[in-house]
Amino acid sequence: MTVNDRPLPHDRAPRPGEKVRRHHDGCLGCGDVEPGLHLSFVAGEDLTVTSVLDVAHWQQGGPGVVHGGVVAAALDETMGALQAFFGRPAVTAELTTSYRKPIPVGTQLYLWARVEEREGRKTWTTGTARLDGPDGPVAAEGRGLFIDIRRDHFDGSAVRAVNP
């Protein structure tokens, strides 16, 4: 369902300013695992979320800068957190990351993501990663496509069917 071509959140979706519940404790992006990104998300206006990543030494790729895969994972997790607005579990089907500036180790990366479109089981999203603050220079941008899945997707049967 949409209003003015924007998807509508479900009745129990997080409201602006509320923390978005993590999807599970063992997640590399939002869970308690070590090492992990330890991202937490706050809902914003118009189907958006924000977070901050403290870029740690262990996330280094080139000397003194974050590994591009860490940035992609952080954007993936941020865009994935948008599924909280629809109350359905989803998985990443496509992820594109464009890198704009080097991200130094020891800095903070301000993450933002927005639902662009939703049709059936598909949700299209965009995200940005900024240096030095929520309005700082864009260091990376992402686009994602997420597909709603059945709640039993991770119970093991789906994995066994693909990897007998």
Side-chain angles (χ1 to χ4, degrees), residues 19-42 49-55 58-59 69-81 92 95 109 111 146:
K19 191 172 181 180
V20 175
R21 198 182 86 189
R22 65 177 160 202
H23 62 278
H24 85 96
D25 293 340
C27 175
L28 171 77
C30 67
D32 288 331
V33 297
E34 291 296 339
L37 301 182
H38 305 283
L39 296 171
S40 62
F41 302 97
V42 175
V49 297
T50 59
S51 187
V52 177
L53 173 65
D54 292 316
V55 180
W58 70 267
Q59 297 164 339
V70 171
V71 177
L75 283 168
D76 181 33
E77 189 70 19
T78 304
M79 292 185 288
T92 309
L95 175 67
L109 199 55
L111 302 161
F146 294 81

Side-chain angles (χ1 to χ4, degrees), residues 64 97 102 105 119:
T97 307
V105 169
E119 182 180 317

Side-chain angles (χ1 to χ4, degrees), residues 56-125:
H57 179 69
W58 70 267
Q59 297 164 339
Q60 191 167 207
V65 295
V66 72
H67 189 286
V70 171
V71 177
L75 283 168
D76 181 33
E77 189 70 19
T78 304
M79 292 185 288
L82 294 165
Q83 299 308 310
F85 290 114
F86 308 113
R88 304 270 321 186
V91 294
T92 309
E94 295 177 9
L95 175 67
T96 302
T97 307
S98 299
Y99 302 93
R100 305 288 182 225
K101 292 188 178 303
I103 301 166
V105 169
T107 61
Q108 288 187 318
L109 199 55
Y110 290 79
L111 302 161
W112 172 90
R114 179 178 189 252
V115 173
E116 296 298 333
E117 183 179 348
R118 184 162 165 83
E119 182 180 317
R121 296 177 47 221
K122 296 179 179 180
T123 303
W124 289 268
T125 64

Side-chain angles (χ1 to χ4, degrees), residues 5 38 41 43 61 73 137-138 150 155 162:
D5 296 325
H38 305 283
F41 302 97
V138 174
R150 293 187 336 248
D155 72 358
V162 174

